[in-house]
Amino acid sequence: MPSVSNYPAPRLDSRPAETFRATLGDLATRLDVAAPDRADVAFTGVALGTDHVRTGDLFLGIRGANSHGARFAAKAVEAGATAVLTDAEGASLVPSEVPTVVVEDPRLAAGPASAFLYRDPVASMTSIGITGTQGKTTTAFYVAAAAGMQQSGTIGSIGTTVGDDFFPPVLTTPEAPELQALFAVMREQKLGTVAVEASSHALTLGRVDGFAFDAGVFLNLGHDHRDYHPTQADYFAAKALLLTPEHAKVGIVDIDSHWGRVLAAQATVPVRTTSASGSESADWRAEDVELRAHGSSFTVRSPDGERVRFTTQLTGAFNVNNILAAVAALTESGRDLADLAPGIAALPSVEGRLQRFDFGQPFAAIVDSAHKPEAINAALRAIRTTTPEGRLIAVLGANGHRDAAKRRMMGRFAAMFADVLVITDDNPYDDDPAEIRASLIAGARSSTVEITEIADRREAMAAAVRMARPEDTVVILGKGHERYHALAGGEIAWYDPDVLREVIEAL
Ligand SMILES: CC(=O)N[C@H]1[C@@H](OP(=O)(O)OP(=O)(O)OC[C@H]2O[C@@H](n3ccc(=O)[nH]c3=O)[C@H](O)[C@@H]2O)O[C@H](CO)[C@@H](O)[C@@H]1O[C@H](C)C(=O)N[C@@H](C)C(=O)N[C@H](CCC(=O)O)C(=O)O
Ligand SMILES: Nc1ncnc2c1ncn2[C@@H]1O[C@H](COP(=O)(O)OP(=O)(O)OP(=O)(O)O)[C@@H](O)[C@H]1O
């Protein structure tokens, strides 16, 4: 499937400018395994996957779900790799002349090996890891804003920001070699803080191995990725890995939800708890919360009783949770609470997160990335409060391929707050789009919501804006920042805000 992107071209390279070098012998010592025959062979980068190989790289041959990466060792050497790190099975697949370091599990060695090459780059900055089904991106941006956007980096589903620079996303959490290289770039740019979204895949696949975040944040747990995690307990266990000594020095846990309270009781690192609802048992609390249509103000009370007033321009009660987590993480990592309020107040929006657009239309128009049941619920609940007199018209689709079980729930949760649902397509890939829409509709039918089904996403958005009256709000759910629409024939370039503008201008 061809890949499309209309993101701005990055100004920086995603690898550090400085050349780092390590020998296989030193690497073997660091990983505590036997040195290979040609221990003096050096490598200057690390690559997981032949697509990423650059001259001088150490290629990681990892057994995957489909094949053993070591099968591609010859291709990696052709692309410039000087050596391979793999397991015993992989070693038998590597051409005999290629220097090879053998470890028990190369996936788990990817982080330590990359951190070793780049000399533990994250140690030079305050690092905050964030997990949770909803709110990772927003909280990462709150961390960066609080610590000063120009001096901070974020790594997550929107992409990677390095001060003003930007790399388009590949995964929510990059594979360890790319993650460590990005940390090294951030160190070169003299950033003081980095906020990283740690997905459940990343935590189980070793992408954040090889270092411990200064603070690990757990926000919440909803329904997601049940194609990868067979049970909710398994999904929780994956997220809980962030709050272990291997991954974080201290844990920040939002205890406004059931799973947060479970984790706070069982985490194996020191935990500080947060509560936006002001729970007296929480270390960090929000007090005197004033929710407004466009933002909120509240007082953060720290564990030692310090009180600082915070304001945000971002809509949604859940952003009180996100801000509390961000400022608790930074303060527990050594920042002064009082210094953090101006940056939070200055953050105007986060791309594709309840983002408002004014294209001259008389009604409110919003793009929001919510594509999971609880996120849809939280987003529409927030928009309901900003639409006191009018109707909430939501355009909703669901992805193909992954987690079919969540589609009905998405429909049901959307119907709780929307007055009109325009059910459409959202990255069906090669799944039957009509079947996906039918699941959403089946979920929504339990309520009195008015439902219109329009397969074509542009037509659906056009229909939504045509039915909107001045007091109404139209929200386009699902894609947020995404720059593609994945259909059976391939990906096409797509950006919801652009299409929204086009359909509004055509009114
Ligand atoms: C389920 C999952 O996470 N799979 C990851 C896994 O793939 P895999 O085990 O199937 O690998 P494989 O296809 O068997 O290939 C084995 C090895 O051979 C290598 N290879 C393969 C072919 C080739 O030509 N050359 C080559 O080098 C591959 O890079 C891999 O290292 O290992 C690969 C390489 O390490 C990852 O790229 C791949 O992520 C895929 C792309 C993916 O889509 N992952 C998603 C589900 C994901 O991680 N999502 C999370 C959460 C998203 C969110 O909630 O926001 C994320 O963090 O993005
Ligand atoms: N703490 C929260 N609790 C519930 N819902 C939230 C929270 N924070 C954000 N949301 C909702 O979830 C949507 C996604 O937010 P965000 O992108 O910050 O989360 P995420 O965890 O990064 O999601 P994804 O992994 O899908 O990118 C937002 O648009 C908002 O509607």
Side-chain angles (χ1 to χ4, degrees), residues 2 6 35 98 130 181-182 188 190 199 203 294 333 335 360 403:
N6 57 349
V98 180
I130 303 159
L182 287 168
E188 278 179 345
K190 306 208 177 338
S199 66
L203 286 157
H294 305 295
S333 308
R335 302 297 172 95
D403 200 351

Side-chain angles (χ1 to χ4, degrees), residues 141-390:
F141 274 80
Y142 274 131
V143 167
M149 251 342 172
Q150 303 305 313
Q151 296 81 41
S152 302
T154 64
I155 298 178
S157 50
I158 285 184
T160 294
T161 59
V162 182
D164 282 338
D165 286 300
F166 176 79
F167 298 102
V170 177
L171 294 167
T172 294
T173 316
E175 293 291 353
E178 288 116 65
L179 184 68
Q180 293 294 332
L182 287 168
F183 287 156
V185 171
M186 291 179 178
R187 179 177 55 191
E188 278 179 345
Q189 298 299 312
K190 306 208 177 338
L191 299 191
T193 303
V194 60
V196 180
E197 296 182 40
S199 66
S200 58
H201 291 78
L203 286 157
T204 50
L205 293 173
R207 294 182 195 159
V208 290
D209 283 10
F211 71 103
F213 289 107
D214 289 310
V217 173
F218 174 90
L219 292 168
N220 48 50
L221 193 81
H223 182 114
D224 204 18
H225 299 312
R226 289 296 279 278
D227 50 331
Y228 185 67
H229 302 290
T231 62
Q232 193 70 356
D234 183 66
Y235 180 37
F236 171 69
K239 296 246 180 233
L241 285 172
L242 182 60
L243 274 76
T244 57
E246 292 75 26
H247 293 300
K249 293 172 192 154
V250 63
I252 306 296
V253 181
D254 183 328
I255 55 164
D256 281 346
S257 74
H258 164 73
W259 289 106
R261 292 188 288 277
V262 173
L263 181 56
Q266 71 174 49
T268 52
V269 290
V271 164
R272 291 295 199 177
T273 54
T274 65
S275 170
S277 62
S279 167
E280 299 243 323
S281 62
D283 299 309
W284 289 85
R285 298 172 217 161
E287 297 175 342
D288 305 321
V289 178
E290 287 172 43
L291 293 176
R292 291 187 302 275
H294 305 295
S296 57
S297 297
F298 56 96
T299 300
V300 173
R301 184 194 180 281
S302 76
D304 53 14
E306 186 182 0
R307 287 183 163 82
V308 176
R309 193 81 184 153
F310 278 74
T311 298
T312 178
Q313 302 175 50
L314 275 55
T315 304
F318 51 78
N319 279 322
V320 180
N321 298 72
N322 295 339
I323 291 170
L324 256 188
V327 302
L330 283 169
T331 312
E332 297 290 350
S333 308
R335 302 297 172 95
D336 282 337
L337 178 61
D339 292 344
L340 307 178
I344 296 277
L347 184 71
S349 61
V350 178
E351 187 184 12
R353 273 66 188 165
L354 289 185
Q355 198 177 0
R356 292 180 167 263
F357 291 92
D358 183 354
F359 300 122
Q361 79 282 359
F363 52 87
I366 296 176
V367 169
D368 187 82
S369 76
H371 54 271
K372 304 166 193 173
E374 292 81 1
I376 289 171
N377 190 273
L380 296 185
R381 186 192 291 265
I383 299 168
R384 184 80 269 169
T385 63
T386 65
T387 317
E389 310 293 339

